[in-house]
Every structure is written in C-alpha cells, then in structure tokens.
Amino acid sequence: MQSTRRNLPQLFTDARRWFEEGLLASLEAAGATPVSPTQAQLFAVLDDHGTTVSELARRMGVTRQTAHQAVHGLVAAGLLEQVPDPASARQRLIRRTVEGERAHRQAGAILERLEDQLAERISREAVDALRAALETPWGQPPPPNS
C-alpha cells in the first residue's frame, strides 16, 4: 500500500507553484511584460547592484546556460541590462533597468497580496508560524548515515 503523505520538498514545490501562478496571472492581468517562471525566479535572486550570470545560476539551482537564456529574454524585454563588473574586467553584471525596477516593485506588491490571501485561507497565525520556521537558520544538511 502506497503512502499518501507527501514529503516536505513536494509540499514546498506546491507552495512555490501557488505563489508563482498567482504572481504570473496577476502580472498578466495588469498588462505587464510576460515572463516565464524561470525568469520570475531570476528576478527574485538578483541583487540590487547586479549579479553575474554564474551567481544567478548557482542561486537558482540551474545551469549557467539556463540562467543565461532567462537573462537574454529579460534583456530583450527591456527589464534587465548587462553592465561591466567594476570588480572584474572579464565579468558583466546583470541588473534591473528602470522598467525592471518598476516590475520588481509591482511583483513585490502582488506577492504581499497573495500572502494576505493565504492568511485569510489558513489564518495569519499559520502564515506567521510558517514564515518564522522558514526564516530560522537550518544549518548544513546532516552528513549521510554510514
């Protein structure tokens, strides 16, 4: 008999998808530039001062090629730009354009509304407890059992 209990990574994936689908649908309804889930994730991990493609890929847990493709699409859409990295002549930083900053603020406001809607559904107390648990440092994963 198979267990119907889902593990935490599966639940985290569903929770992320819930927010992602709500964000993308709200952006589309507002007439914002369409973005893919990967592009939305890239926006979320981008530093304000700019980030290299390699670092974006690491933060997103994707290949450098996948991150580069997402960057390319967002540059073409006018939401990101590539600028020289003052710390390294060989690297370029990816950062938001003025339009990208506006879209980032809009996405932040939408995510706040989604969190409020979640609190209406499962209670503010549950959302606050979830946030507190996820903000608590977990430390490194334990070593494999020998």
Side-chain angles (χ1 to χ4, degrees), residues 4-69:
T4 57
R5 183 172 185 203
R6 299 174 54 211
N7 63 42
L8 280 176
Q10 291 169 323
L11 296 172
F12 287 146
T13 298
D14 286 349
R16 178 178 170 176
R17 189 175 297 123
W18 185 87
F19 276 99
E20 196 172 80
E21 288 174 2
L23 172 64
L24 296 178
S26 294
L27 287 170
E28 182 180 339
T33 302
V35 296
S36 71
T38 301
Q39 291 170 328
Q41 181 186 5
L42 186 143
F43 245 75
V45 299
L46 185 65
D47 293 332
D48 289 339
H49 65 277
T51 312
T52 64
V53 171
S54 296
E55 180 60 18
L56 290 169
R58 187 192 67 74
R59 291 176 185 178
M60 294 169 62
V62 299
T63 65
R64 191 175 183 283
Q65 180 181 9
T66 298
H68 184 71
Q69 289 172 342

Short mmCIF file of all heavy atoms in Angstrom, two decimals, residues 4-69:
data_model
loop_
_atom_site.label_atom_id
_atom_site.label_comp_id
_atom_site.label_asym_id
_atom_site.label_seq_id
_atom_site.Cartn_x
_atom_site.Cartn_y
_atom_site.Cartn_z
N THR A 4 0.07 8.09 1.18
CA THR A 4 -0.43 9.30 0.52
C THR A 4 0.17 10.55 1.15
O THR A 4 -0.09 11.64 0.67
CB THR A 4 -1.97 9.37 0.62
OG1 THR A 4 -2.34 9.34 2.00
CG2 THR A 4 -2.61 8.23 -0.14
N ARG A 5 0.96 10.36 2.20
CA ARG A 5 1.60 11.51 2.84
C ARG A 5 2.74 12.01 1.97
O ARG A 5 3.63 11.27 1.60
CB ARG A 5 2.14 11.13 4.21
CG ARG A 5 2.73 12.30 4.93
CD ARG A 5 3.10 12.00 6.33
NE ARG A 5 3.55 13.24 6.95
CZ ARG A 5 4.33 13.28 7.99
NH1 ARG A 5 4.73 12.17 8.56
NH2 ARG A 5 4.70 14.43 8.49
N ARG A 6 2.68 13.30 1.64
CA ARG A 6 3.69 13.89 0.78
C ARG A 6 4.82 14.45 1.63
O ARG A 6 4.60 14.95 2.73
CB ARG A 6 3.04 14.95 -0.08
CG ARG A 6 1.96 14.27 -0.93
CD ARG A 6 1.12 15.18 -1.72
NE ARG A 6 1.99 16.04 -2.53
CZ ARG A 6 1.67 17.27 -2.86
NH1 ARG A 6 0.53 17.78 -2.50
NH2 ARG A 6 2.48 18.00 -3.58
N ASN A 7 6.05 14.36 1.10
CA ASN A 7 7.18 14.86 1.86
C ASN A 7 7.28 16.38 1.75
O ASN A 7 6.63 17.01 0.92
CB ASN A 7 8.48 14.16 1.44
CG ASN A 7 8.84 14.41 0.00
OD1 ASN A 7 8.73 15.53 -0.50
ND2 ASN A 7 9.31 13.37 -0.69
N LEU A 8 8.08 16.98 2.62
CA LEU A 8 8.20 18.43 2.67
C LEU A 8 8.67 19.04 1.34
O LEU A 8 8.12 20.06 0.92
CB LEU A 8 9.10 18.88 3.82
CG LEU A 8 8.44 18.90 5.19
CD1 LEU A 8 9.46 19.25 6.27
CD2 LEU A 8 7.28 19.87 5.23
N PRO A 9 9.68 18.48 0.67
CA PRO A 9 10.05 19.08 -0.61
C PRO A 9 8.89 19.13 -1.61
O PRO A 9 8.75 20.12 -2.35
CB PRO A 9 11.19 18.18 -1.11
CG PRO A 9 11.81 17.65 0.14
CD PRO A 9 10.63 17.44 1.07
N GLN A 10 8.05 18.13 -1.63
CA GLN A 10 6.88 18.16 -2.51
C GLN A 10 5.93 19.28 -2.10
O GLN A 10 5.39 20.00 -2.94
CB GLN A 10 6.14 16.82 -2.48
CG GLN A 10 6.90 15.68 -3.12
CD GLN A 10 6.27 14.33 -2.83
OE1 GLN A 10 5.76 14.08 -1.74
NE2 GLN A 10 6.32 13.44 -3.82
N LEU A 11 5.72 19.43 -0.81
CA LEU A 11 4.83 20.49 -0.31
C LEU A 11 5.41 21.88 -0.59
O LEU A 11 4.68 22.80 -0.95
CB LEU A 11 4.57 20.30 1.18
CG LEU A 11 3.82 19.01 1.55
CD1 LEU A 11 3.79 18.83 3.06
CD2 LEU A 11 2.42 19.01 0.96
N PHE A 12 6.74 22.03 -0.44
CA PHE A 12 7.38 23.30 -0.76
C PHE A 12 7.21 23.63 -2.24
O PHE A 12 6.97 24.78 -2.60
CB PHE A 12 8.88 23.27 -0.43
CG PHE A 12 9.21 23.32 1.03
CD1 PHE A 12 10.30 22.63 1.53
CD2 PHE A 12 8.45 24.05 1.93
CE1 PHE A 12 10.63 22.68 2.87
CE2 PHE A 12 8.76 24.10 3.28
CZ PHE A 12 9.87 23.42 3.75
N THR A 13 7.35 22.62 -3.09
CA THR A 13 7.17 22.83 -4.53
C THR A 13 5.76 23.30 -4.84
O THR A 13 5.57 24.24 -5.63
CB THR A 13 7.51 21.54 -5.30
OG1 THR A 13 8.88 21.21 -5.06
CG2 THR A 13 7.26 21.69 -6.79
N ASP A 14 4.77 22.67 -4.24
CA ASP A 14 3.38 23.09 -4.45
C ASP A 14 3.14 24.51 -3.95
O ASP A 14 2.45 25.31 -4.60
CB ASP A 14 2.41 22.13 -3.77
CG ASP A 14 2.27 20.81 -4.49
OD1 ASP A 14 2.76 20.69 -5.64
OD2 ASP A 14 1.66 19.90 -3.90
N ALA A 15 3.72 24.85 -2.79
CA ALA A 15 3.55 26.20 -2.24
C ALA A 15 4.20 27.23 -3.15
O ALA A 15 3.61 28.28 -3.43
CB ALA A 15 4.17 26.26 -0.84
N ARG A 16 5.38 26.92 -3.62
CA ARG A 16 6.06 27.84 -4.54
C ARG A 16 5.24 28.01 -5.81
O ARG A 16 5.08 29.12 -6.30
CB ARG A 16 7.45 27.31 -4.87
CG ARG A 16 8.18 28.18 -5.84
CD ARG A 16 9.54 27.65 -6.10
NE ARG A 16 10.14 28.35 -7.21
CZ ARG A 16 11.36 28.14 -7.61
NH1 ARG A 16 12.12 27.27 -7.01
NH2 ARG A 16 11.83 28.80 -8.63
N ARG A 17 4.72 26.92 -6.34
CA ARG A 17 3.91 26.98 -7.56
C ARG A 17 2.66 27.84 -7.34
O ARG A 17 2.26 28.60 -8.21
CB ARG A 17 3.53 25.57 -8.02
CG ARG A 17 2.88 25.56 -9.40
CD ARG A 17 2.62 24.15 -9.90
NE ARG A 17 3.87 23.43 -10.07
CZ ARG A 17 4.15 22.27 -9.48
NH1 ARG A 17 3.28 21.67 -8.69
NH2 ARG A 17 5.31 21.69 -9.68
N TRP A 18 2.04 27.73 -6.16
CA TRP A 18 0.85 28.52 -5.85
C TRP A 18 1.16 30.01 -5.95
O TRP A 18 0.42 30.77 -6.58
CB TRP A 18 0.34 28.15 -4.45
CG TRP A 18 -0.95 28.81 -4.06
CD1 TRP A 18 -2.21 28.36 -4.32
CD2 TRP A 18 -1.12 30.05 -3.34
NE1 TRP A 18 -3.14 29.23 -3.80
CE2 TRP A 18 -2.50 30.28 -3.20
CE3 TRP A 18 -0.22 30.97 -2.81
CZ2 TRP A 18 -3.02 31.39 -2.54
CZ3 TRP A 18 -0.74 32.09 -2.17
CH2 TRP A 18 -2.12 32.29 -2.03
N PHE A 19 2.26 30.43 -5.32
CA PHE A 19 2.66 31.83 -5.38
C PHE A 19 3.06 32.23 -6.80
O PHE A 19 2.70 33.30 -7.28
CB PHE A 19 3.83 32.11 -4.42
CG PHE A 19 3.38 32.38 -3.02
CD1 PHE A 19 3.43 31.38 -2.06
CD2 PHE A 19 2.91 33.62 -2.64
CE1 PHE A 19 3.02 31.62 -0.75
CE2 PHE A 19 2.50 33.88 -1.33
CZ PHE A 19 2.55 32.87 -0.39
N GLU A 20 3.81 31.36 -7.46
CA GLU A 20 4.27 31.65 -8.82
C GLU A 20 3.10 31.83 -9.79
O GLU A 20 3.07 32.79 -10.56
CB GLU A 20 5.15 30.48 -9.27
CG GLU A 20 6.01 30.72 -10.46
CD GLU A 20 6.94 29.54 -10.62
OE1 GLU A 20 6.51 28.50 -11.15
OE2 GLU A 20 8.12 29.65 -10.20
N GLU A 21 2.13 30.92 -9.73
CA GLU A 21 0.96 31.01 -10.62
C GLU A 21 0.14 32.26 -10.32
O GLU A 21 -0.32 32.95 -11.23
CB GLU A 21 0.10 29.76 -10.52
CG GLU A 21 0.75 28.55 -11.16
CD GLU A 21 -0.03 27.26 -10.94
OE1 GLU A 21 -1.12 27.27 -10.32
OE2 GLU A 21 0.46 26.20 -11.41
N GLY A 22 -0.02 32.58 -9.04
CA GLY A 22 -0.75 33.78 -8.67
C GLY A 22 -0.02 35.04 -9.12
O GLY A 22 -0.65 35.98 -9.63
N LEU A 23 1.29 35.06 -8.97
CA LEU A 23 2.09 36.21 -9.40
C LEU A 23 2.01 36.40 -10.90
O LEU A 23 1.71 37.50 -11.38
CB LEU A 23 3.55 36.02 -8.98
CG LEU A 23 4.55 37.04 -9.53
CD1 LEU A 23 4.24 38.44 -9.02
CD2 LEU A 23 5.97 36.63 -9.17
N LEU A 24 2.25 35.34 -11.66
CA LEU A 24 2.27 35.46 -13.12
C LEU A 24 0.89 35.83 -13.66
O LEU A 24 0.78 36.65 -14.58
CB LEU A 24 2.81 34.18 -13.75
CG LEU A 24 4.27 33.85 -13.42
CD1 LEU A 24 4.69 32.53 -14.06
CD2 LEU A 24 5.21 34.97 -13.81
N ALA A 25 -0.17 35.26 -13.09
CA ALA A 25 -1.53 35.60 -13.54
C ALA A 25 -1.85 37.06 -13.23
O ALA A 25 -2.45 37.76 -14.06
CB ALA A 25 -2.55 34.67 -12.88
N SER A 26 -1.45 37.54 -12.07
CA SER A 26 -1.71 38.93 -11.70
C SER A 26 -0.91 39.90 -12.57
O SER A 26 -1.43 40.94 -12.97
CB SER A 26 -1.37 39.18 -10.23
OG SER A 26 -2.25 38.45 -9.40
N LEU A 27 0.33 39.55 -12.86
CA LEU A 27 1.14 40.39 -13.75
C LEU A 27 0.51 40.46 -15.14
O LEU A 27 0.43 41.52 -15.75
CB LEU A 27 2.58 39.87 -13.84
CG LEU A 27 3.45 40.10 -12.60
CD1 LEU A 27 4.76 39.33 -12.73
CD2 LEU A 27 3.70 41.59 -12.38
N GLU A 28 0.07 39.31 -15.64
CA GLU A 28 -0.56 39.27 -16.95
C GLU A 28 -1.83 40.10 -16.97
O GLU A 28 -2.07 40.88 -17.89
CB GLU A 28 -0.88 37.82 -17.34
CG GLU A 28 -1.48 37.69 -18.73
CD GLU A 28 -1.79 36.25 -19.10
OE1 GLU A 28 -1.19 35.33 -18.51
OE2 GLU A 28 -2.64 36.04 -19.98
N ALA A 29 -2.65 39.97 -15.92
CA ALA A 29 -3.90 40.74 -15.84
C ALA A 29 -3.64 42.25 -15.79
O ALA A 29 -4.44 43.03 -16.28
CB ALA A 29 -4.71 40.30 -14.62
N ALA A 30 -2.49 42.62 -15.24
CA ALA A 30 -2.13 44.04 -15.14
C ALA A 30 -1.47 44.56 -16.41
O ALA A 30 -1.12 45.73 -16.50
CB ALA A 30 -1.20 44.26 -13.94
N GLY A 31 -1.28 43.67 -17.39
CA GLY A 31 -0.68 44.08 -18.65
C GLY A 31 0.83 44.19 -18.62
O GLY A 31 1.43 44.83 -19.48
N ALA A 32 1.46 43.57 -17.62
CA ALA A 32 2.92 43.63 -17.51
C ALA A 32 3.56 42.77 -18.60
O ALA A 32 2.92 41.90 -19.19
CB ALA A 32 3.35 43.13 -16.13
N THR A 33 4.84 43.01 -18.83
CA THR A 33 5.60 42.20 -19.78
C THR A 33 5.55 40.75 -19.33
O THR A 33 5.88 40.45 -18.18
CB THR A 33 7.07 42.69 -19.83
OG1 THR A 33 7.08 44.06 -20.19
CG2 THR A 33 7.89 41.87 -20.80
N PRO A 34 5.14 39.83 -20.20
CA PRO A 34 5.07 38.41 -19.80
C PRO A 34 6.46 37.86 -19.48
O PRO A 34 7.43 38.17 -20.18
CB PRO A 34 4.49 37.71 -21.03
CG PRO A 34 4.01 38.77 -21.94
CD PRO A 34 4.70 40.04 -21.57
N VAL A 35 6.54 37.09 -18.42
CA VAL A 35 7.78 36.42 -18.04
C VAL A 35 7.48 34.96 -17.74
O VAL A 35 6.36 34.61 -17.37
CB VAL A 35 8.47 37.08 -16.82
CG1 VAL A 35 8.91 38.49 -17.13
CG2 VAL A 35 7.58 37.05 -15.60
N SER A 36 8.50 34.13 -17.88
CA SER A 36 8.36 32.71 -17.57
C SER A 36 8.61 32.50 -16.08
O SER A 36 9.16 33.38 -15.40
CB SER A 36 9.38 31.90 -18.37
OG SER A 36 10.69 32.14 -17.87
N PRO A 37 8.24 31.33 -15.55
CA PRO A 37 8.57 31.05 -14.14
C PRO A 37 10.06 31.16 -13.85
O PRO A 37 10.46 31.67 -12.81
CB PRO A 37 8.04 29.63 -13.94
CG PRO A 37 6.92 29.50 -14.92
CD PRO A 37 7.38 30.29 -16.13
N THR A 38 10.91 30.70 -14.77
CA THR A 38 12.35 30.79 -14.57
C THR A 38 12.80 32.24 -14.53
O THR A 38 13.64 32.62 -13.70
CB THR A 38 13.10 30.03 -15.68
OG1 THR A 38 12.68 28.66 -15.67
CG2 THR A 38 14.61 30.10 -15.51
N GLN A 39 12.24 33.07 -15.41
CA GLN A 39 12.59 34.49 -15.40
C GLN A 39 12.12 35.17 -14.12
O GLN A 39 12.83 36.01 -13.56
CB GLN A 39 12.00 35.18 -16.63
CG GLN A 39 12.66 34.76 -17.93
CD GLN A 39 11.92 35.26 -19.15
OE1 GLN A 39 10.70 35.40 -19.14
NE2 GLN A 39 12.66 35.53 -20.21
N ALA A 40 10.95 34.79 -13.63
CA ALA A 40 10.47 35.35 -12.36
C ALA A 40 11.40 34.95 -11.22
O ALA A 40 11.71 35.76 -10.34
CB ALA A 40 9.05 34.90 -12.09
N GLN A 41 11.85 33.70 -11.23
CA GLN A 41 12.77 33.23 -10.20
C GLN A 41 14.09 34.00 -10.27
O GLN A 41 14.65 34.39 -9.24
CB GLN A 41 13.03 31.73 -10.35
CG GLN A 41 13.95 31.16 -9.30
CD GLN A 41 14.31 29.71 -9.53
OE1 GLN A 41 13.96 29.12 -10.55
NE2 GLN A 41 15.04 29.13 -8.60
N LEU A 42 14.57 34.27 -11.47
CA LEU A 42 15.81 35.01 -11.64
C LEU A 42 15.68 36.41 -11.03
O LEU A 42 16.56 36.87 -10.33
CB LEU A 42 16.16 35.10 -13.13
CG LEU A 42 17.51 35.73 -13.45
CD1 LEU A 42 18.14 35.02 -14.62
CD2 LEU A 42 17.38 37.20 -13.73
N PHE A 43 14.56 37.05 -11.29
CA PHE A 43 14.32 38.38 -10.72
C PHE A 43 14.39 38.32 -9.20
O PHE A 43 14.88 39.26 -8.57
CB PHE A 43 12.93 38.87 -11.16
CG PHE A 43 12.98 40.08 -12.03
CD1 PHE A 43 13.35 39.96 -13.36
CD2 PHE A 43 12.65 41.33 -11.54
CE1 PHE A 43 13.39 41.07 -14.17
CE2 PHE A 43 12.69 42.45 -12.35
CZ PHE A 43 13.06 42.32 -13.67
N ALA A 44 13.89 37.25 -8.62
CA ALA A 44 13.84 37.14 -7.16
C ALA A 44 15.22 37.00 -6.53
O ALA A 44 15.40 37.36 -5.37
CB ALA A 44 12.96 35.95 -6.76
N VAL A 45 16.20 36.47 -7.25
CA VAL A 45 17.52 36.24 -6.68
C VAL A 45 18.56 37.26 -7.13
O VAL A 45 19.72 37.18 -6.76
CB VAL A 45 18.03 34.80 -6.96
CG1 VAL A 45 17.10 33.76 -6.36
CG2 VAL A 45 18.23 34.55 -8.45
N LEU A 46 18.12 38.24 -7.90
CA LEU A 46 19.02 39.27 -8.43
C LEU A 46 19.29 40.33 -7.38
O LEU A 46 18.37 40.88 -6.78
CB LEU A 46 18.36 39.90 -9.67
CG LEU A 46 19.15 40.92 -10.46
CD1 LEU A 46 20.37 40.27 -11.11
CD2 LEU A 46 18.26 41.52 -11.54
N ASP A 47 20.57 40.63 -7.14
CA ASP A 47 20.94 41.69 -6.20
C ASP A 47 20.62 43.05 -6.81
O ASP A 47 20.66 43.22 -8.03
CB ASP A 47 22.44 41.65 -5.90
CG ASP A 47 22.85 40.41 -5.13
OD1 ASP A 47 22.02 39.87 -4.38
OD2 ASP A 47 24.02 39.99 -5.30
N ASP A 48 20.36 44.04 -5.97
CA ASP A 48 20.05 45.38 -6.45
C ASP A 48 21.19 45.99 -7.25
O ASP A 48 20.96 46.70 -8.23
CB ASP A 48 19.69 46.30 -5.28
CG ASP A 48 18.35 45.96 -4.66
OD1 ASP A 48 17.51 45.31 -5.33
OD2 ASP A 48 18.12 46.33 -3.49
N HIS A 49 22.42 45.72 -6.85
CA HIS A 49 23.58 46.31 -7.54
C HIS A 49 24.01 45.51 -8.77
O HIS A 49 24.87 45.94 -9.51
CB HIS A 49 24.76 46.45 -6.57
CG HIS A 49 25.28 45.13 -6.09
ND1 HIS A 49 24.70 44.45 -5.04
CD2 HIS A 49 26.30 44.36 -6.52
CE1 HIS A 49 25.35 43.31 -4.85
NE2 HIS A 49 26.32 43.23 -5.73
N GLY A 50 23.43 44.34 -8.97
CA GLY A 50 23.77 43.49 -10.10
C GLY A 50 24.41 42.19 -9.66
O GLY A 50 24.99 42.11 -8.58
N THR A 51 24.28 41.19 -10.51
CA THR A 51 24.76 39.85 -10.18
C THR A 51 25.28 39.20 -11.46
O THR A 51 24.72 39.42 -12.53
CB THR A 51 23.60 39.00 -9.61
OG1 THR A 51 22.91 39.75 -8.61
CG2 THR A 51 24.09 37.70 -9.00
N THR A 52 26.32 38.39 -11.35
CA THR A 52 26.83 37.69 -12.53
C THR A 52 25.88 36.54 -12.90
O THR A 52 25.13 36.03 -12.05
CB THR A 52 28.22 37.10 -12.29
OG1 THR A 52 28.14 36.10 -11.26
CG2 THR A 52 29.24 38.17 -11.92
N VAL A 53 25.93 36.12 -14.15
CA VAL A 53 25.11 35.01 -14.61
C VAL A 53 25.47 33.74 -13.84
O VAL A 53 24.58 32.98 -13.44
CB VAL A 53 25.24 34.79 -16.13
CG1 VAL A 53 24.56 33.50 -16.57
CG2 VAL A 53 24.66 35.97 -16.89
N SER A 54 26.76 33.52 -13.59
CA SER A 54 27.18 32.33 -12.84
C SER A 54 26.56 32.30 -11.45
O SER A 54 26.10 31.26 -10.98
CB SER A 54 28.70 32.26 -12.73
OG SER A 54 29.27 32.11 -13.99
N GLU A 55 26.56 33.44 -10.77
CA GLU A 55 25.98 33.51 -9.43
C GLU A 55 24.47 33.33 -9.48
O GLU A 55 23.88 32.68 -8.62
CB GLU A 55 26.34 34.83 -8.75
CG GLU A 55 25.79 35.00 -7.35
CD GLU A 55 26.24 33.94 -6.35
OE1 GLU A 55 27.24 33.24 -6.60
OE2 GLU A 55 25.57 33.80 -5.31
N LEU A 56 23.82 33.90 -10.50
CA LEU A 56 22.37 33.70 -10.66
C LEU A 56 22.05 32.22 -10.83
O LEU A 56 21.13 31.70 -10.20
CB LEU A 56 21.85 34.50 -11.85
CG LEU A 56 21.83 36.02 -11.68
CD1 LEU A 56 21.55 36.70 -13.01
CD2 LEU A 56 20.81 36.43 -10.63
N ALA A 57 22.83 31.54 -11.66
CA ALA A 57 22.62 30.11 -11.89
C ALA A 57 22.77 29.32 -10.58
O ALA A 57 21.96 28.45 -10.28
CB ALA A 57 23.60 29.59 -12.94
N ARG A 58 23.80 29.66 -9.80
CA ARG A 58 24.02 28.97 -8.52
C ARG A 58 22.84 29.18 -7.58
O ARG A 58 22.32 28.25 -6.98
CB ARG A 58 25.31 29.47 -7.86
CG ARG A 58 25.69 28.68 -6.60
CD ARG A 58 26.78 29.36 -5.80
NE ARG A 58 26.34 30.61 -5.20
CZ ARG A 58 25.52 30.72 -4.16
NH1 ARG A 58 25.02 29.65 -3.58
NH2 ARG A 58 25.18 31.91 -3.68
N ARG A 59 22.39 30.42 -7.46
CA ARG A 59 21.28 30.73 -6.56
C ARG A 59 19.97 30.05 -6.99
O ARG A 59 19.15 29.69 -6.17
CB ARG A 59 21.05 32.23 -6.49
CG ARG A 59 22.17 32.97 -5.79
CD ARG A 59 21.94 34.46 -5.83
NE ARG A 59 23.06 35.19 -5.25
CZ ARG A 59 23.15 36.49 -5.19
NH1 ARG A 59 22.16 37.24 -5.68
NH2 ARG A 59 24.20 37.07 -4.67
N MET A 60 19.79 29.93 -8.30
CA MET A 60 18.55 29.33 -8.82
C MET A 60 18.62 27.81 -8.86
O MET A 60 17.59 27.15 -9.01
CB MET A 60 18.29 29.86 -10.23
CG MET A 60 17.98 31.34 -10.28
SD MET A 60 17.98 32.01 -11.97
CE MET A 60 16.66 31.09 -12.71
N GLY A 61 19.83 27.27 -8.76
CA GLY A 61 19.99 25.81 -8.85
C GLY A 61 19.79 25.31 -10.27
O GLY A 61 19.25 24.22 -10.47
N VAL A 62 20.22 26.11 -11.25
CA VAL A 62 20.09 25.74 -12.66
C VAL A 62 21.46 25.84 -13.32
O VAL A 62 22.42 26.34 -12.72
CB VAL A 62 19.07 26.63 -13.41
CG1 VAL A 62 17.68 26.51 -12.79
CG2 VAL A 62 19.52 28.09 -13.44
N THR A 63 21.55 25.39 -14.57
CA THR A 63 22.81 25.52 -15.29
C THR A 63 23.05 26.98 -15.67
O THR A 63 22.11 27.78 -15.74
CB THR A 63 22.80 24.67 -16.57
OG1 THR A 63 21.82 25.20 -17.47
CG2 THR A 63 22.53 23.20 -16.27
N ARG A 64 24.29 27.28 -15.96
CA ARG A 64 24.64 28.63 -16.40
C ARG A 64 23.91 28.95 -17.71
O ARG A 64 23.46 30.07 -17.92
CB ARG A 64 26.16 28.73 -16.58
CG ARG A 64 26.64 30.14 -16.77
CD ARG A 64 28.18 30.18 -16.81
NE ARG A 64 28.65 31.53 -16.94
CZ ARG A 64 28.64 32.24 -18.07
NH1 ARG A 64 28.18 31.72 -19.17
NH2 ARG A 64 29.10 33.48 -18.08
N GLN A 65 23.78 27.95 -18.56
CA GLN A 65 23.09 28.14 -19.84
C GLN A 65 21.62 28.51 -19.62
O GLN A 65 21.09 29.42 -20.27
CB GLN A 65 23.18 26.88 -20.70
CG GLN A 65 22.48 27.01 -22.03
CD GLN A 65 22.57 25.74 -22.86
OE1 GLN A 65 23.00 24.71 -22.40
NE2 GLN A 65 22.13 25.84 -24.11
N THR A 66 20.94 27.85 -18.68
CA THR A 66 19.54 28.16 -18.38
C THR A 66 19.42 29.58 -17.84
O THR A 66 18.53 30.33 -18.26
CB THR A 66 18.97 27.15 -17.37
OG1 THR A 66 19.01 25.84 -17.97
CG2 THR A 66 17.56 27.48 -16.97
N ALA A 67 20.32 29.96 -16.94
CA ALA A 67 20.29 31.32 -16.40
C ALA A 67 20.56 32.33 -17.51
O ALA A 67 19.89 33.37 -17.59
CB ALA A 67 21.31 31.47 -15.28
N HIS A 68 21.52 32.02 -18.38
CA HIS A 68 21.84 32.94 -19.48
C HIS A 68 20.64 33.12 -20.41
O HIS A 68 20.35 34.25 -20.84
CB HIS A 68 23.05 32.43 -20.26
CG HIS A 68 23.49 33.36 -21.33
ND1 HIS A 68 24.11 34.55 -21.07
CD2 HIS A 68 23.38 33.29 -22.67
CE1 HIS A 68 24.36 35.18 -22.21
NE2 HIS A 68 23.93 34.43 -23.20
N GLN A 69 19.92 32.05 -20.70
CA GLN A 69 18.73 32.14 -21.55
C GLN A 69 17.66 33.02 -20.90
O GLN A 69 17.02 33.83 -21.57
CB GLN A 69 18.17 30.76 -21.86
CG GLN A 69 19.04 29.96 -22.81
CD GLN A 69 18.57 28.51 -22.95
OE1 GLN A 69 17.83 28.00 -22.12
NE2 GLN A 69 19.04 27.85 -23.99
#
